[in-house]
Amino acid sequence: MPQTILNLAVEGVQALQPYAPGKPLSELEREYGITQAIKLASNENPLGPSPLVLQALREAFPDLARYPDGNGFALKAALAAKLDVDAACITLGNGSNDVLELVARGFLSPQSSAVFSAHAFAVYPIVTQAIGARSCVAPAHDGSRGPRFGHDLQAMLAAIAEDTRVVFVANPNNPTGTWVAEDRLRAFVEQVPDHVIVVVDEAYFEYVDAPGYPNAVRWVGEFPNLLVTRTFSKAYGLASLRVGYGVSQAALADVLNRVRQPFNVNSFAQAAAVAALEDERHLERGVALNREGMQQFEARFEALGLNYIPSVGNFISVDTGRDPGQVYTALLHEGVIVRPVANYAMPGFLRISIGLPEENRRCLDALARVLAT
Ligand SMILES: Cc1ncc(COP(=O)(O)O)c(C=O)c1O
């Protein structure tokens, strides 16, 4: 094999598919020469953050030249009070992605493996392979014993091997929007061997109102190997600032802290997150808006005869019944950015983030036009 820079990379990185982010609005408008485009591609909060956040950001400006609080004292204190845990149980991340990466760096090696489900969030294989660890993908439900494309926790347990050190459970999962119920998840956490870290990724926690949906943070005191991750990027509307967190027992948080960059969460993100936690009403408004938007999509998909995966998140995946790449491109021409999910082995599907009512309507009208041609 001829020597290339890529050959020099560790084996896992050579085979790695880089994360494909949603297309930015500015890029679409530049490329297609259009204006007023809408982006429903990255599960962002269409309401934006609370006004309290904007105020906190203004107040943070004078400290621009200072390093942030590397221990995140105020944010950890606010989270600890809200979640009723000790501040030592919290790990702050540059987005919850960062926390997922800290798990991989802290617990995986080229001699170990991580287990996750088929169709699970794309960052799990990335952080696993970047370390040179083996990715072990458990088959998802086929629709007979659980929601189609949803995590099959029995299959995930069966996939755990001697060398497994981490198992990732996305609850709910992105891009499927599927979720696992409290009794099942709890039984799963109980059965995972002690030498395996169970990551329960609750990035969309605040949006979920399904009966039986668990709050895994409540179990952290019982399981030394449990880590629950959450984020300010979705329901709190702070995606651009990059701030998320993990909740675990202090001993696990200590491992993550050892591999964490000292100033991984900037001052603006910390101040904004504290302010966001104070505005419950804004959070509720966003959640209610999402619920209505979800109904708007479901009703129209049904009218159009399109199959979709019922979702408890702020996005929904729909089977276009066509080559989704072509539908995606046709929607771009209509000024609508959605997310292709070809890399998730869900043929025919596109994922659409729930936006403002008018954005949802524009997206649905454009989809109907595209599918009618
Ligand atoms: C399931 C899941 N986990 C984690 C994340 C990471 O989000 P962030 O790094 O913005 O906190 C996302 C973002 O899309 C997600 O969908």
Side-chain angles (χ1 to χ4, degrees):
M1 192 173 16
Q3 184 71 61
T4 66
I5 291 292
L6 186 59
N7 294 152
L8 298 175
V10 297
E11 223 172 281
V13 174
Q14 290 186 30
L16 203 143
Q17 284 277 353
Y19 184 80
K23 199 178 191 58
L25 276 172
S26 53
E27 188 180 308
L28 174 72
E29 297 191 345
R30 208 170 44 240
E31 274 178 15
Y32 288 61
I34 52 179
T35 54
Q36 311 277 305
I38 57 170
K39 181 184 177 204
L40 300 177
S42 299
N43 303 345
E44 295 148 341
N45 184 338
L47 268 192
S50 152
L52 297 186
V53 164
L54 303 182
Q55 181 58 29
L57 290 175
R58 278 190 286 270
E59 285 167 15
F61 272 121
D63 285 335
L64 197 56
R66 306 248 172 237
Y67 281 102
D69 173 358
N71 293 318
F73 179 84
L75 178 53
K76 281 190 187 175
L79 284 169
K82 184 180 166 63
L83 303 171
D84 195 19
V85 298
D86 200 279
C89 298
I90 296 168
T91 306
L92 299 181
N94 192 256
S96 56
N97 269 341
D98 189 27
V99 183
L100 299 173
E101 199 174 314
L102 298 180
V103 175
R105 298 209 359 244
F107 293 97
L108 294 176
S109 74
Q111 286 73 46
S112 62
S113 67
V115 168
F116 45 86
S117 174
H119 321 295
F121 182 45
V123 163
Y124 310 149
I126 293 177
V127 299
T128 302
Q129 281 178 233
I131 296 293
R134 193 167 59 87
S135 283
C136 199
V137 184
H141 279 305
D142 60 8
S144 55
R145 288 180 307 110
R148 186 170 171 228
F149 298 116
H151 286 18
D152 178 345
L153 295 180
Q154 283 307 322
M156 290 178 71
L157 264 184
I160 292 175
E162 270 297 281
D163 70 353
T164 304
R165 290 293 171 273
V166 179
V167 53
F168 293 101
V169 179
N171 201 31
N173 183 41
N174 164 23
T176 59
T178 51
W179 59 286
V180 287
E182 174 148 16
D183 49 350
R184 290 188 183 202
L185 184 61
R186 167 115 198 162
F188 174 82
V189 177
E190 283 169 356
Q191 287 173 77
V192 170
D194 295 345
H195 68 269
V196 178
I197 306 299
V198 185
V199 180
V200 178
D201 176 346
E202 295 184 348
Y204 301 92
F205 176 83
E206 296 81 5
Y207 284 113
V208 188
D209 63 0
Y213 173 71
N215 171 357
V217 165
R218 294 215 187 99
W219 306 336
V220 158
E222 294 170 72
F223 300 98
N225 59 336
L226 175 62
L227 171 76
V228 182
T229 58
R230 293 194 188 160
T231 183
F232 285 91
S233 300
K234 310 295 176 185
Y236 288 103
L238 303 185
S240 72
L241 286 172
R242 312 304 300 127
V243 52
Y245 59 96
V247 187
S248 64
Q249 291 190 10
L252 204 163
D254 171 58
V255 172
L256 304 181
N257 257 305
R258 289 173 191 226
V259 289
R260 185 178 65 83
Q261 274 189 39
F263 303 108
N264 61 335
V265 183
N266 70 73
S267 313
F268 292 92
Q270 292 187 35
V274 170
L277 287 174
E278 283 163 14
D279 198 344
E280 284 280 333
R281 285 204 37 228
H282 185 79
L283 183 73
E284 283 161 19
R285 266 200 297 279
V287 170
L289 185 80
N290 185 64
R291 197 177 308 122
E292 287 156 25
M294 188 66 84
Q295 284 161 4
Q296 202 180 345
F297 275 99
E298 288 178 348
R300 190 74 179 273
F301 288 159
E302 274 157 34
L304 291 168
L306 296 174
N307 286 324
Y308 60 88
I309 310 173
S311 166
V312 293
N314 66 343
F315 55 88
I316 185 163
S317 286
V318 60
D319 187 351
T320 62
R322 301 264 190 101
D323 171 356
Q326 279 175 8
V327 178
Y328 167 73
T329 308
L331 286 174
L332 289 181
H333 284 281
E334 296 265 354
V336 178
I337 311 175
V338 297
R339 190 66 156 263
V341 286
N343 52 329
Y344 283 97
M346 293 161 62
F349 279 84
L350 285 175
R351 190 196 71 194
I352 306 175
S353 305
I354 310 299
L356 297 170
E358 173 59 17
E359 294 176 322
N360 301 337
R361 194 191 55 72
R362 265 188 67 191
C363 172
L364 285 162
D365 287 352
L367 183 65
R369 273 196 300 277
V370 165
L371 293 179
T373 57

